[in-house]
Amino acid sequence: MSLVLDPSAQDLLFREARTANTFTDEPVTDEQVRAIYDLVKYGPTAFNQSPLRITLVRSPEARERLVKHMAEGNQPKTSAAPLVAILSADNEFHEELPQLFPHFPQAKDAFFSERPVREGAAALNASLQAAYFIVGVRAAGLAAGPMTGLDFEGVRKEFLDDDHTPLMVVNIGRPGPDAWFPRSPRLEYDQVVTTV
Ligand SMILES: Cc1cc2nc3c(=O)[nH]c(=O)nc-3n(C[C@H](O)[C@H](O)[C@H](O)COP(=O)(O)O)c2cc1C
């Protein structure tokens, strides 16, 4: 009663959405990824910064280069998923702040002139954007398989540069046979929420 989102959308995004471990061969198109990004770009971040970067690993040669940096248990699904994306944080996101936060363009220099501060902000806000992205994948009727079991420095050197910090790799597609384990429990409201 308290939620205004249509119950079928609640199920699609959360109750029935699962983390997929196997996928069908159905391709994931650039149009689908564009639609996902054009929806989730509205998710809020501090100072409206946009540090998330998405690298779509499409060619077989690039897929091979990525798989070798994945933990052994993650390698088969990274090889087989229709689409794999590397999500990273751009630690130089402050350069775009005058465009993204035009009513206070001084924010770039006033708050983000120091690299360690930027790295902290980029990690937090790009991770928020990564979460929005995962929910966006579900909104497209697809399943996501996020993974942090990987050699981060290896992925950074292979695909990124010193200004970018990898956050996770996400398999994307339609769930295949035996795509998931039984649902694991979640903490209940009273275990998580306190009121002061
Ligand atoms: C940031 C992140 C990292 C994860 N890393 C891995 C991983 O390296 N390997 C793996 O098999 N699953 C990984 N998972 C999947 C989680 O175990 C899974 O999302 C969680 O248990 C909830 O599963 P459910 O969506 O099916 O309920 C990761 C999930 C997230 C969000």
Side-chain angles (χ1 to χ4, degrees), residues 160-187:
L160 307 169
D161 59 32
D162 284 343
D163 290 335
H164 294 81
T165 305
L167 298 170
M168 67 187 76
V169 169
V170 186
N171 298 323
I172 303 168
R174 291 207 190 274
D178 301 319
W180 38 71
F181 309 116
R183 184 75 115 172
S184 299
R186 292 332 199 235
L187 295 182

Side-chain angles (χ1 to χ4, degrees), residues 36-85:
I36 292 165
Y37 180 73
D38 281 339
L39 177 66
V40 304
K41 68 185 179 188
Y42 293 109
T45 59
F47 288 100
N48 196 36
Q49 62 192 258
S50 198
L52 178 70
R53 296 294 177 266
I54 301 169
T55 308
L56 300 178
V57 183
R58 283 232 181 256
S59 75
E61 168 271 328
R63 184 75 68 100
E64 214 170 284
R65 287 197 287 128
L66 176 61
V67 167
K68 71 175 190 239
H69 296 292
M70 302 304 295
E72 210 177 314
N74 287 333
Q75 288 186 354
K77 49 192 163 192
T78 310
S79 297
L83 179 62
V84 181

Side-chain angles (χ1 to χ4, degrees), residues 10-26:
Q10 296 173 29
D11 289 342
L12 180 75
L13 299 181
F14 292 103
R15 277 190 214 95
E16 288 175 10
R18 298 295 312 277
T19 300
N21 292 301
T22 71
F23 298 90
T24 68
D25 291 339
E26 186 179 322

Side-chain angles (χ1 to χ4, degrees), residues 129-196:
Q129 292 187 291
Y132 305 144
F133 180 78
I134 291 167
V135 176
V137 167
R138 294 170 168 189
L142 300 168
M147 297 169 294
T148 48
L150 56 101
D151 170 6
F152 283 90
E153 189 52 17
V155 168
R156 194 188 62 72
K157 283 193 181 134
E158 190 83 43
F159 293 97
L160 307 169
D161 59 32
D162 284 343
D163 290 335
H164 294 81
T165 305
L167 298 170
M168 67 187 76
V169 169
V170 186
N171 298 323
I172 303 168
R174 291 207 190 274
D178 301 319
W180 38 71
F181 309 116
R183 184 75 115 172
S184 299
R186 292 332 199 235
L187 295 182
E188 295 304 328
Y189 180 88
D190 289 339
Q191 295 174 278
V192 173
V193 180
T194 51
T195 304
V196 292

